[in-house]
Amino acid sequence: MNIFDHIKNITTTKGPYLGDEGWNNWMVNRYLSMDQEYCGVVNYVQKNTWQMKGEYLYNLYKDLIPQQYKYLKYIKPTTKKDYKIEDIEAVQSYFEISKKEAKEYIDMIDKEELETIKQQINGIY
């Protein structure tokens, strides 16, 4: 018994609860939220039932989610982006922010603006 058996049971077969083996409330919520149609339901349910027993949460989802096959594609995080240290330090110094925020800023600004910031920080106008 694994998490996928439970998800299949919720969405397609609608059978009885399969037991606690392989069940994890957080993972069930996560996988069900991968479908846009279920996302609103999962968001509401997880706010109010995070401590609920697995069997009760299963029965709730079984009643709320329509019986149909859905491919729930697991959304993976994007690949890790490499940042130049001089870019991070320039943006960090220019805006007076943390390294993490500097990386977010670098993603948002265009290359010309980044070059202008680097030139201003380095004293080249």
Side-chain angles (χ1 to χ4, degrees), residues 32 46 75 84-85 94 104 115 123:
L32 289 175
Q46 74 180 355
I75 302 171
K84 294 180 183 174
I85 293 174
Y94 186 81
E104 292 173 3
E115 288 302 317

Side-chain angles (χ1 to χ4, degrees), residues 6-123:
H6 291 290
I7 299 297
K8 183 180 179 183
N9 203 20
I10 289 171
T11 58
T12 57
T13 58
K14 301 287 186 180
Y17 182 60
L18 300 173
D20 288 334
E21 182 184 345
W23 180 270
N24 181 319
N25 286 359
W26 186 81
M27 287 302 295
V28 169
N29 288 332
R30 183 174 176 124
Y31 270 95
L32 289 175
S33 70
M34 297 296 163
D35 187 292
Q36 283 186 329
E37 292 179 19
Y38 302 158
C39 199
V41 171
V42 173
N43 187 38
Y44 181 77
V45 168
Q46 74 180 355
K47 287 180 189 177
N48 300 302
T49 61
W50 60 272
Q51 61 196 11
M52 185 181 275
K53 287 185 179 182
E55 183 175 5
Y56 300 139
L57 184 59
Y58 167 80
N59 288 325
L60 180 62
Y61 276 137
K62 187 174 84 168
D63 293 338
L64 290 174
I65 293 179
Q67 183 174 1
Q68 61 184 359
Y69 174 77
K70 283 277 192 165
Y71 175 70
L72 301 173
K73 181 177 170 123
Y74 186 79
I75 302 171
K76 296 178 183 178
T78 57
T79 58
K80 188 175 180 180
K81 188 173 179 182
D82 291 328
Y83 299 93
K84 294 180 183 174
I85 293 174
E86 59 268 9
D87 292 350
I88 295 172
E89 289 173 350
V91 171
Q92 188 177 6
S93 176
Y94 186 81
F95 291 108
E96 298 179 0
I97 55 175
S98 70
K99 285 184 181 181
K100 181 179 177 183
E101 290 173 317
K103 290 176 183 178
E104 292 173 3
Y105 278 44
I106 290 170
D107 290 337
M108 291 187 280
I109 60 177
D110 58 23
K111 291 186 180 194
E112 291 107 18
E113 188 174 354
L114 179 60
E115 288 302 317
T116 304
I117 291 170
K118 286 175 23 180
Q119 290 173 357
Q120 288 179 0
I121 293 300
N122 295 328

